[in-house]
Amino acid sequence: MTSRKKGVRFIAGAGVGAAAAAALRRRWGGRRGGQVPAAPEPGSLGDTYLEHLAAAVRIPTISHEDRSLTDPAPFAEFHAFLESTYPLVHQHLSREVVAGHSLLYRWEGSDPGAAPVLLMGHMDVVGIEPGTEEDWPHPPFAGERDEEFLWGRGTLDDKCAVIAIFEAVEALLSEDFRPDVTLYVAIGDDEEIGGGQGAAAVAALLAERGVRLDFVLDEGGAVASGLLPGVTRPAALVGIGEKGYLNVEIVADGAGGHSSVPPPHTAVGTLAEAVACLEASPLPARLDSQAGFFAALAPVLGGMGGLALRHADRLGPLVEKRLGASPPGNALIRTTTAVTMISGGVKPNVLPQSARAVVNFRVMPGDSVAGVLAHVRAVVGDGVTVRQLEGGFSAEPSPLSSTESAAFRVVAEAINDVFPDAAVVPWIVMGATDARHYIPVAADVYRFSPFRLTPADMSLMHGTGERLRLSDADGALGFYRTVIEKACGTTQQW
């Protein structure tokens, strides 16, 4: 790891104290108000990236919860697209197709004793909600551009990163770059439905071969603006862990009968009371899990907010009150409760014999699936049945990766090089990513995508009107190239 043995000054740990916060202030103190780049010039590397990303968007690689509904043809087409678009990658890297349609590439390094690095993403996308097709400013699988955006499903989640990784590797190969450290590139095909067959199979294959990765870099963070009120600079959110995922089914039963002679509570009423109690009784905040986030964000948050974060160990109730006042802030500090489905009854004049609700929990590190189930049962009390929803995806929260390792410093330095106006902030990813499948085979797992996003942008990832800013192209290419150069080094040419 030639490049990574050099000293790097950035430090921001999950247990960061005053000294680390001061170091972070010194690190970023002279960098203010960086310029956001314009759209790439025609014919430039960034423009080529956008052309290739548009072509990738036009391939509708939609994954479905019911896997029998997933059409395999677009995934085979995507494989062929990668092969034809990146000839040097397919000439110099080995390629394996794993578990149907996931891909694993290996770029052999010259140092067999160095732990390899893995960059990853996913080719699958979510579908379009029926009836919303006409609401898209541009068709969701047309890959069309206007003066500001490239539109289409996958432009943010996650073909933008997949194509940027391939562009960076292809460019380095064209310049006769050869890594010291072996680089893997893994592209999953079922991330949007949990990655249980794609990424899980690739990780299992690496484990079977005895591969121990130095670090993994997946999607999950971004260069965020407007993260919290009062934040004076963009925050480059590097996920050092992610929340768990749990769906809980709550069922209330009733005797049925005619609605003219109702009991005090029908099954629907009993269920509604249980749901109301659950929403009124959130799980406790876990500020300690976000200690690194607070320490890194405090220097760029003005007023009382910055003061509270700098002393979160002593001002916990104030921090909890301020963050808990908004849905994004609340999600940062606790396991969230979201009632997402409810059903019951068959006719207006018939008492329902059963009513059912599904509640989605995003489980904070420090909590657990079993603990959440116990909390639900205690809150709703007797008279309803509580059980984990059968089938589908569930996961415990991930362990937190180090923010003091050479691997984290590689990611932080690459962000610093490409986004000098942004403060690097470790955080816990709210959603689930394929990265969690690689935890058993990696020393550290990080989650970051090199794109500038606002909260409004983030809401488009699975929604209507997903699009990528054209101005993000050059930064994306520069980031992945820098990570590869720093992480894998170079001592000789082909």
Side-chain angles (χ1 to χ4, degrees):
M1 297 190 177
T2 305
S3 299
R4 295 172 55 204
K5 292 177 181 176
K6 299 177 182 178
V8 185
R9 292 171 292 166
F10 181 88
I11 299 175
V16 174
L24 190 138
R25 285 193 294 273
R26 291 193 299 272
R27 171 72 171 165
W28 295 106
R31 299 181 182 268
R32 294 283 187 262
Q35 297 273 329
V36 176
E41 293 292 330
S44 66
L45 291 176
D47 187 61
T48 299
Y49 160 72
L50 292 170
E51 290 180 1
H52 291 162
L53 177 56
V57 167
R58 295 183 191 115
I59 304 172
T61 48
I62 301 170
S63 58
H64 296 270
E65 290 285 348
D66 181 351
R67 291 178 182 268
S68 68
L69 300 177
T70 299
D71 182 0
F75 292 87
E77 183 182 352
F78 193 82
H79 291 190
F81 160 76
L82 292 177
E83 190 168 0
S84 63
T85 306
Y86 304 105
L88 294 179
V89 170
H90 291 81
Q91 179 182 347
H92 292 291
L93 278 66
S94 66
R95 190 196 81 154
E96 296 178 81
V97 180
V98 182
H101 294 99
S102 288
L103 297 172
L104 177 64
Y105 293 82
R106 177 184 169 94
W107 192 0
E108 188 73 30
S110 60
D111 182 357
V117 170
L118 185 142
L119 303 181
M120 60 180 293
H122 62 91
M123 68 185 80
D124 65 315
V125 299
V126 298
I128 309 304
E129 185 175 346
T132 66
E133 293 86 353
E134 297 301 318
D135 297 331
W136 283 72
H138 296 265
F141 293 104
E144 294 179 354
R145 283 200 235 180
D146 57 24
E147 293 183 354
E148 188 176 2
F149 299 107
L150 170 61
W151 297 83
R153 182 64 87 220
T155 53
L156 290 178
D157 185 17
D158 174 49
K159 290 179 179 177
C160 55
V162 170
I163 300 305
I165 292 169
F166 276 88
E167 294 285 330
V169 174
E170 186 81 2
L172 287 167
L173 285 166
S174 72
E175 299 167 15
D176 294 331
F177 176 93
R178 180 174 181 178
D180 293 340
V181 175
T182 294
L183 176 70
Y184 286 98
V185 177
I187 310 299
D189 72 311
D190 62 346
E191 191 274 348
E192 297 294 0
I193 54 174
Q197 292 186 13
V202 176
L205 181 63
L206 294 175
E208 179 183 323
R209 294 173 178 172
V211 175
R212 179 67 179 172
L213 300 166
D214 185 27
F215 74 93
V216 170
L217 180 61
D218 193 12
E219 63 170 337
V223 181
S225 298
L227 179 65
L228 292 172
V231 177
T232 57
R233 294 168 56 196
L237 302 173
V238 180
I240 59 172
E242 61 186 55
K243 285 185 166 184
Y245 187 99
L246 172 66
N247 289 320
V248 176
E249 183 181 53
I250 303 173
V251 178
D253 295 322
H258 199 279
S259 65
S260 61
V261 190
H265 289 291
T266 68
V268 169
T270 300
L271 179 66
E273 185 176 29
V275 166
C277 289
L278 199 56
E279 290 189 329
S281 305
L283 281 98
R286 293 195 173 276
L287 302 183
D288 55 334
S289 294
Q290 291 284 23
F293 175 85
F294 296 152
L297 196 63
V300 294
L301 180 61
M304 286 297 296
L307 177 65
L309 290 189
R310 282 192 290 273
H311 301 284
D313 54 336
R314 290 180 291 164
L315 300 176
L318 175 61
V319 173
E320 181 179 343
K321 181 178 180 181
R322 290 179 67 91
L323 291 178
S326 70
N330 186 61
L332 288 170
I333 59 174
R334 62 164 43 88
T335 295
T336 52
T337 303
V339 184
T340 55
M341 299 173 68
I342 194 162
S343 61
V346 293
K347 288 185 65 178
N349 63 344
V350 176
L351 298 176
Q353 296 186 42
S354 181
R356 170 184 178 269
V358 175
V359 189
N360 177 254
F361 293 89
R362 301 303 175 104
V363 186
M364 193 74 172
D367 290 331
S368 66
V369 167
V372 171
L373 285 167
H375 166 81
V376 175
R377 293 187 177 106
V379 168
V380 302
D382 299 330
V384 295
T385 301
V386 174
R387 54 179 173 254
Q388 183 173 342
L389 185 66
E390 294 183 1
F393 166 67
S394 67
E396 296 286 354
S398 76
L400 302 184
S401 293
S402 173
T403 56
E404 298 180 350
S405 65
F408 183 82
R409 294 195 292 271
V410 163
V411 177
E413 284 294 320
I415 292 170
N416 183 22
D417 289 347
V418 178
F419 303 100
D421 60 322
V424 178
V425 179
W427 79 315
I428 295 169
V429 176
M430 303 295 109
T433 73
D434 269 349
R436 72 188 179 281
H437 294 295
Y438 293 88
I439 291 171
V441 295
D444 288 300
V445 176
Y446 302 108
R447 303 153 183 88
F448 176 77
S449 296
F451 304 96
R452 295 179 182 270
L453 302 179
T454 66
D457 295 327
M458 297 175 192
S459 69
L460 300 176
M461 287 189 178
H462 287 185
T464 298
E466 184 177 349
R467 76 282 191 279
L468 178 76
R469 284 184 177 82
L470 305 183
S471 57
D472 278 344
D474 291 330
L477 299 181
F479 173 77
Y480 285 113
R481 179 187 179 107
T482 302
V483 167
I484 294 169
E485 290 175 330
K486 287 180 178 289
C488 298
T490 178
T491 57
Q492 55 185 303
Q493 297 181 339
W494 291 108

